[in-house]
Amino acid sequence: MPQPRVVVLDYGFGNVRSAVRALEHVGAQVDLTADRHAAENADGLVVPGVGAFAAVMDGLRAVRGDQVVDRRLAGGRPVLGICVGMQVLFACGREHGTSTDGLGEWPGVVDRLQAAVVPHMGWATVDVPKASVLFDGVHDERFYFVHSYAARSFPMHDEPVLRNRPLVTWADHGGRFVAAVENGPLSATQFHPEKSGDPGAQLLRSWVGTLR
């Protein structure tokens, strides 16, 4: 069986080599590139992100990553967001009193964690929905987080008209926040699976498995 082709979107932001290596380890053929054609046509696209919401959005727009994500999802082609790469999938990010538009794939706001200690850094358990594909075999494991901001609600859960509601995984740090989402071809994690040891590798293996 041929290896799924995965593009890790390179928009000049953050150390993404560990994500490339982790995806290769679980059986993907990986390219780190900003090439729009490659990103739109790969079997899977990974959107990484570290640092500030606004800076990540600027970087994505500079390489037309916003258009790439939108076109892939319109065609039902898988996308995985990681850390701030997940946060920018929401409608808006609020940092230091400033609001920045996100990609708007999900409604909701990303803002600062309400906890005594911020950033949230280290290993934490997650509350996984039973039907999850991403967390198959790792429901009870811990994953590695490093972040100061998160989505602390998921408004689509409360929309009664949705027939297939997204599967939302939660974690807690001074209150619950969204740790992962599975929504058709769009998946995302607030934690870093590439830094989460064997459980993270298994999660990436599950995602890559959906690309075959």
Side-chain angles (χ1 to χ4, degrees):
M1 184 177 295
Q3 292 177 294
R5 292 175 51 251
V6 173
V7 162
V8 175
L9 190 62
D10 183 10
Y11 54 98
F13 212 85
N15 180 8
V16 295
R17 294 292 177 182
S18 57
V20 171
R21 290 193 297 269
L23 287 159
E24 290 174 339
H25 178 71
V26 299
Q29 177 184 332
V30 186
D31 292 315
L32 175 62
T33 181
D35 182 82
R36 186 174 178 180
H37 179 78
E40 287 184 0
N41 291 283
D43 297 316
L45 175 70
V46 173
V47 181
V50 295
F53 188 107
V56 168
M57 282 302 305
D58 286 344
L60 286 173
R61 290 192 177 106
V63 299
R64 300 184 183 178
D66 52 339
Q67 297 176 27
V68 169
V69 170
D70 189 59
R71 290 182 182 183
R72 285 188 63 89
L73 294 177
R77 311 204 73 181
V79 175
L80 174 66
I82 296 176
C83 197
V84 186
M86 168 180 167
Q87 294 176 10
V88 296
L89 295 168
F90 287 88
C92 176
R94 293 177 183 159
E95 296 175 323
H96 310 298
T98 300
S99 294
T100 302
D101 289 340
L103 297 177
E105 300 298 340
W106 298 313
V109 176
V110 171
D111 56 10
R112 189 172 174 83
L113 293 168
Q114 300 299 301
V117 176
V118 176
H120 175 214
M121 185 180 297
W123 296 81
T125 57
V126 295
D127 183 10
V128 181
K130 292 182 180 179
S132 172
V133 173
L134 275 185
F135 289 88
D136 185 28
V138 290
H139 280 70
D140 300 321
E141 299 288 350
R142 298 190 304 159
F143 297 87
Y144 186 78
F145 292 83
V146 53
H147 62 120
S148 298
Y149 294 80
R152 293 184 288 122
S153 66
F154 197 85
M156 286 180 73
H157 250 190
D158 302 323
E159 295 183 12
V161 297
L162 289 180
R163 297 181 62 183
N164 297 310
R165 296 184 181 183
L167 298 177
V168 181
T169 293
W170 299 90
D172 190 280
H173 186 71
R176 75 174 193 164
F177 64 87
V178 177
V181 182
E182 297 164 74
N183 182 198
L186 181 57
S187 300
T189 65
Q190 177 61 67
F191 56 84
H192 288 272
E194 76 280 11
K195 298 179 181 179
S196 295
D198 290 341
Q202 179 57 44
L203 184 144
L204 290 175
R205 186 175 292 108
S206 294
W207 181 72
V208 169
T210 67
L211 309 180
R212 297 185 186 277

